[in-house]
Amino acid sequence: MRITDNMRFASVQRSLSSLRSRQAELTDQISSGSRIGAPSDDPIAAAGLARLSAQAARTADYRATISTVRSDISLSEGNLAEASSLMVRAHELALQGANGTLSTADRQMLAGEVAALQEQLVSTANARGSRGFLFSGNLTDTAALSSGGVYQGDDQAQQVELAPGVVAGVTVTGAEAFTAAGGTDAFATLTALRQALESDDAAQVAATLGSIESSRSQIVRVQAKAGLIMNRLDSADEALAVTGLELERRRSVLGDVDPFSALSELSQLSTTLEQAIAVARNTLLGSGNLF
Amino acid sequence: MGITDILNTARDAMAAQTFGLTVTGQNVANVNTPGYVRRQALLETRDMGDKAYGSVHVAGLQRVADRFVEQRHLALTGASAEASTRDQLLAQTEALFNDFEGTGLSGSLNALFSSFSALSASPSDLTTRSTLLGRAQTFADQVRSSSDQMQNFRTDLFSQARELTGQINSKLDTVAQLSGRINQARAAGEEPADLEDKRDAELLELSQMVEIHTYTDGNGQLVVQGPGMTLVQSDQARHLSVDIDTDGSLRVLAETAGGNGSDITKFLSAGQLSGILTVRDHDVVEMQSELDTFAFHVASQINSAHAAGFGLDGGSGRNLFALSASADGAAGSLALSADVADQPERLAASSSASQLPGNGSQATLLAQLGSTPIAALGGLDPGQAYARLVGRVGQRKSDAAAQLSTREAMTAQVEVQRQSISGVSLDEEMVALSKYQRAFEAASRVFTTADQLLEDLINTLGR
């Protein structure tokens, strides 16, 4: 084949420029740490990255939801603990009041304390969380108990999605904790106790002991349920954290540069480039030297 | 035969070798001139009537070029230019969908579903609701702006095509003028090698813009064949123009005698003009329609789930997005529905009118749409569907890049072939230089010898 001068120059230029461009590409990747600067660098990986980022966003959403509802259910649990200790106190008062040796005045005093307990129960049941009244079910803008102890909420727990496809109730309602719907009406029980004390009827006072106890255990049951919900939220959150890490790992595998292979390729490239330059120097020796 | 004949022969020889030296000089001078085709001095024996010996005669100059390699070079240059144009233009559209930083469409899609999720946890919170409205607005804005940018891009490409046809027309005129001058030179018996070089260079530039084939007709005239139409014949050029067809696609017209122009769009297959046309009316149109389909189905799923829920005011049946009736053009018109715009309390988080405001089940359903397969999107959820869209845009660009590198390699190969045939080799020219120099020296020796003979003759016989 006839080799002309421009062919020699062009071939030197082509080989050097392709080496230089690969070198620039590698340097870019290493300095940015990312293998993919634009979708066309690796369309399949780019689509994979977009999918992973959507999944990661969903995972973060679930965790955000969990942290939002977690504070409310923890508040509920605390308030139920308080309500159950109110019932414990009521039980003590009922025991005292059932004692036949107690004077009428003493019973009136006890009745006064029960009335105070009732007020506390109403204010505990009407505690507010981040989304409104804690114990009103879905009617979060309505107080759970009226001052007369009538339940005004509904019996629906708030449903949220904790993980893909897992929709669970994450609140407890006043209906199950404080009303006859859950077994015993706490406020009405206290009213019965107060009235028995006011009418100075020791036997009647003793008769309320059973329902006070069942009301307390009902509240404790719901408190335990709140505890279980918290556990469930925590374990769901942990699982999501693991998922998040796994997604991050996959994203890194897909989109990040492997620094070792990239660096070794780069140093290999530098060697090749030096050789190519040496060859080029030879190639470019002019014909003028021959004559 | 006489001694004077030897003198004549020596004269011719010296003239011929001098011509050879001149041609070598020209080749050396033009070693780096683009488009220069090396020349060869054509020498032949001059016959001297009925005598058995002769002299040398300069028959002219030859441009050393292979017509078929030249043809192939033109064709491949056009194909490369088309691929290069497409590659560059697609890099611009790719930038529209390159949102690895989380600020693009995929970020706002994720943010929208995150807001539904947040609403399901705090259905009565007005701040959460306002945030959701803001994000729905951002999503709609970004979809619309992506669609608008593609539309603007198509408008830009039309202007580019118009400018390019202007350049093509001026090149066609130049080629026609050069052909005319070459004809005149030939008629005057001159050797128009330089003009042919110039015309070849112009044709090469022309082939980058639009597909051309050239041949020489029966009268020795160069004919430049364009897509579906002869563009230059002898010194006559036919101009191209572009306009917009009724369906919005670009149309390339060739000038006709009648004046209306003949549509040659479907014949375009190489050159920048074809690259622009492919990107404008094929690639971008398909991307737009994919974005339309994506936006339409995602928004209509969200709308129907939203319409089934209840706002804080107890109202139901409201859409979140104002959406066109069909996927056609959906992305370009996506907006927040007037039912809910600026009225965050109307967002339908509740699945029941009687469980307000704490019920967030409908918002849960809306959030779940983010990972629910949509049959009309090939059974992919919105995130996956968008990922596929991004993947396809990337695939398109990377296909174009692969095509470009194949065509460039082929062009480089034929350029090597062309250089090998027509390029100047300084080695050769150095050898030729010595060759002509020695021959000239020898010829002058013949001249001195003949002169000596004559002198001897005159001195001996003339006494």
Side-chain angles (χ1 to χ4, degrees):
Chain A
M1 189 184 199
R2 187 171 170 271
I3 304 292
T4 64
D5 291 77
N6 280 325
M7 283 162 74
R8 295 202 320 237
F9 295 131
S11 94
V12 165
Q13 196 195 13
R14 261 200 307 277
S15 68
L16 285 183
S17 84
S18 86
L19 284 172
R20 288 276 186 220
S21 92
R22 178 65 188 148
Q23 193 183 33
E25 200 178 314
L26 271 176
T27 316
D28 239 29
Q29 290 186 353
I30 291 171
S31 58
S32 73
S34 172
R35 204 167 59 81
I36 299 172
S40 60
D41 290 347
D42 185 345
I44 295 176
L49 284 178
R51 266 199 310 276
L52 283 177
S53 91
Q55 262 177 294
R58 283 297 84 68
T59 308
D61 293 347
Y62 293 132
R63 297 194 67 185
T65 304
I66 288 174
S67 93
T68 309
V69 297
R70 176 81 172 60
S71 61
D72 275 6
I73 190 70
S74 143
L75 267 179
S76 302
E77 205 252 10
N79 279 300
L80 287 169
E82 202 180 316
S84 86
S85 65
L86 289 181
M87 296 316 282
V88 170
R89 180 65 189 146
H91 196 257
E92 285 169 13
L93 296 178
L95 276 179
Q96 279 182 37
N99 189 339
T101 61
L102 218 62
S103 71
T104 308
D106 288 341
R107 289 212 175 83
Q108 291 305 323
M109 205 184 70
L110 291 179
E113 199 175 331
V114 171
L117 285 181
Q118 279 186 302
E119 271 171 36
Q120 275 186 51
L121 180 67
V122 169
S123 91
T124 306
N126 289 346
R128 285 164 162 278
S130 62
R131 15 182 320 268
F133 291 101
L134 284 174
F135 295 106
S136 303
N138 274 324
L139 311 185
T140 49
D141 52 354
T142 313
L145 292 182
S146 69
S147 54
V150 178
Y151 183 66
Q152 307 178 109
D154 69 6
D155 58 355
Q156 301 293 318
Q158 190 196 7
Q159 307 277 328
V160 300
E161 195 176 26
L162 299 180
V166 182
V167 177
V170 291
T171 55
V172 291
T173 63
E176 53 188 333
F178 306 122
T179 71
T184 313
D185 188 324
F187 194 85
T189 305
L190 291 181
T191 307
L193 173 61
R194 182 172 51 81
Q195 284 169 352
L197 286 169
E198 276 167 356
S199 57
D200 200 17
D201 185 341
Q204 200 62 42
V205 170
T208 61
L209 276 170
S211 51
I212 290 174
E213 175 54 25
S214 69
S215 170
R216 187 195 64 82
S217 68
Q218 177 186 346
I219 291 172
V220 169
R221 254 198 330 274
V222 175
Q223 185 192 348
K225 183 178 169 189
L228 284 177
I229 291 174
M230 280 160 69
N231 277 346
R232 178 164 196 189
L233 291 177
D234 289 346
S235 62
D237 191 51
E238 256 168 55
L240 288 168
V242 173
T243 310
L245 286 177
E246 171 61 17
L247 288 174
E248 174 55 29
R249 194 189 63 77
R250 270 155 59 188
R251 196 205 61 74
S252 161
V253 168
L254 215 51
D256 285 358
V257 168
D258 173 9
F260 299 109
S261 68
L263 280 172
S264 79
E265 190 183 344
L266 189 64
S267 74
Q268 221 171 33
L269 207 60
S270 307
T271 318
T272 318
L273 199 58
E274 274 168 31
Q275 288 166 347
I277 289 172
V279 171
R281 204 169 280 141
N282 257 325
T283 315
L284 296 182
L285 276 181
S287 315
N289 302 12
L290 298 174
F291 296 89
Chain B
M1 139 102 210
I3 295 173
T4 44
D5 288 341
I6 307 181
L7 282 176
N8 287 340
T9 305
R11 179 204 61 204
D12 286 351
M14 285 192 288
Q17 306 314 322
T18 309
F19 182 69
L21 282 172
T22 314
V23 172
T24 305
Q26 190 187 0
N27 283 343
V28 171
N30 284 299
V31 62
N32 288 327
T33 310
Y36 181 75
V37 170
R38 78 185 157 109
R39 317 279 200 254
Q40 251 173 3
L42 290 182
L43 302 182
E44 57 185 35
T45 50
R46 184 202 294 277
D47 95 45
M48 307 268 281
D50 54 355
K51 312 235 173 56
Y53 44 83
S55 166
V56 64
H57 162 68
V58 175
L61 203 59
Q62 190 197 2
R63 293 173 76 242
V64 187
D66 182 324
R67 216 159 51 81
F68 295 102
V69 173
E70 295 294 317
Q71 292 274 351
R72 230 174 110 62
H73 189 225
L74 284 186
L76 283 170
T77 305
S80 278
E82 184 202 21
S84 159
T85 304
R86 182 159 176 250
D87 184 63
Q88 283 169 18
L89 295 178
L90 285 179
Q92 297 178 33
T93 55
E94 186 185 25
L96 285 181
F97 294 97
N98 185 6
D99 46 17
F100 288 124
E101 311 304 324
T103 49
L105 203 55
S106 106
S108 62
L109 179 71
N110 286 338
L112 177 61
F113 286 113
S114 298
S115 296
F116 285 136
S117 185
L119 181 64
S120 76
S122 317
S124 55
D125 184 30
L126 279 177
T127 314
T128 310
R129 285 171 173 267
S130 301
T131 309
L132 170 52
L133 266 191
R135 288 184 171 169
Q137 177 84 56
T138 307
F139 174 71
D141 286 351
Q142 282 194 347
V143 167
R144 218 172 43 241
S145 121
S146 294
S147 174
D148 287 352
Q149 286 185 50
M150 285 197 276
Q151 198 51 49
N152 291 342
F153 190 49
R154 292 191 71 197
T155 313
D156 284 353
L157 287 180
F158 176 70
S159 315
Q160 281 189 31
R162 199 205 294 270
E163 271 169 38
L164 188 62
T165 26
Q167 290 174 22
I168 290 172
N169 290 339
S170 91
K171 285 277 175 229
L172 288 171
D173 288 342
T174 312
V175 169
Q177 279 168 17
L178 284 168
S179 285
R181 286 172 59 192
I182 289 170
N183 288 343
Q184 288 168 7
R186 287 239 172 85
E190 287 164 19
E191 191 57 56
D194 295 340
L195 289 174
E196 286 184 44
D197 272 1
K198 212 166 178 176
R199 187 173 66 182
D200 279 359
E202 295 289 336
L203 283 173
L204 188 64
E205 283 183 30
L206 188 59
S207 76
Q208 292 178 358
M209 302 175 190
V210 66
E211 179 190 18
I212 51 167
H213 301 284
T214 60
Y215 65 91
T216 313
D217 69 6
N219 303 324
Q221 302 283 348
L222 179 88
V223 177
V224 178
Q225 190 76 39
M229 200 55 99
T230 299
L231 295 181
V232 180
Q233 179 141 27
S234 182
D235 58 354
Q236 296 299 312
R238 189 197 297 279
H239 284 181
L240 299 181
S241 61
V242 288
D243 69 0
I244 300 274
D245 210 350
T246 44
D247 66 349
S249 56
L250 191 145
R251 216 155 53 126
V252 181
L253 300 171
E255 191 181 25
T256 49
N260 259 347
S262 146
D263 187 350
I264 58 166
T265 316
K266 62 173 182 290
F267 300 111
L268 283 178
S269 69
Q272 291 163 353
L273 190 56
S274 165
I276 291 176
L277 190 83
T278 312
V279 170
R280 183 183 185 277
D281 291 339
H282 177 71
D283 293 317
V284 176
V285 167
E286 280 186 13
M287 286 183 208
Q288 273 181 321
S289 116
E290 279 179 34
L291 184 66
D292 279 346
T293 312
F294 166 78
F296 179 74
H297 290 291
V298 170
S300 59
Q301 293 279 328
I302 291 178
N303 271 353
S304 60
H306 189 267
F310 295 85
L312 285 181
D313 58 352
S316 181
R318 295 171 181 139
N319 282 337
L320 181 57
F321 291 113
L323 191 60
S324 55
S326 75
D328 207 20
S333 63
L334 192 69
L336 214 53
S337 153
D339 284 349
V340 294
D342 297 326
Q343 300 173 90
E345 70 282 357
R346 290 188 161 199
L347 286 170
S350 172
S351 61
S352 153
S354 63
Q355 293 178 13
L356 296 166
N359 183 310
S361 296
Q362 204 63 27
T364 304
L365 285 180
L366 282 162
Q368 280 174 334
L369 287 179
S371 42
T372 307
I374 300 175
L377 294 178
L380 300 175
D381 69 35
Q384 290 168 336
Y386 184 71
R388 183 180 61 171
L389 201 153
V390 170
R392 281 200 184 153
V393 171
Q395 190 65 51
R396 213 177 270 282
K397 165 74 176 65
S398 101
D399 285 350
Q403 193 180 43
L404 173 62
S405 83
T406 314
R407 289 187 176 176
E408 272 183 340
M410 285 165 71
T411 311
Q413 205 183 11
V414 78
E415 256 163 16
V416 164
Q417 249 178 340
R418 185 169 175 266
Q419 272 293 319
S420 176
I421 294 166
S422 306
V424 175
S425 159
L426 287 178
D427 299 347
E428 262 180 23
E429 301 307 327
M430 283 299 176
V431 171
L433 209 55
S434 303
K435 189 174 76 177
Y436 290 123
Q437 194 183 355
R438 299 276 170 260
F440 185 90
E441 282 168 13
S444 54
R445 193 61 179 271
V446 170
F447 184 84
T448 9
T449 309
D451 188 41
Q452 196 86 51
L453 285 178
L454 270 179
E455 192 183 334
D456 286 353
L457 197 65
I458 291 166
N459 284 345
T460 326
L461 299 181
R463 236 176 249 188

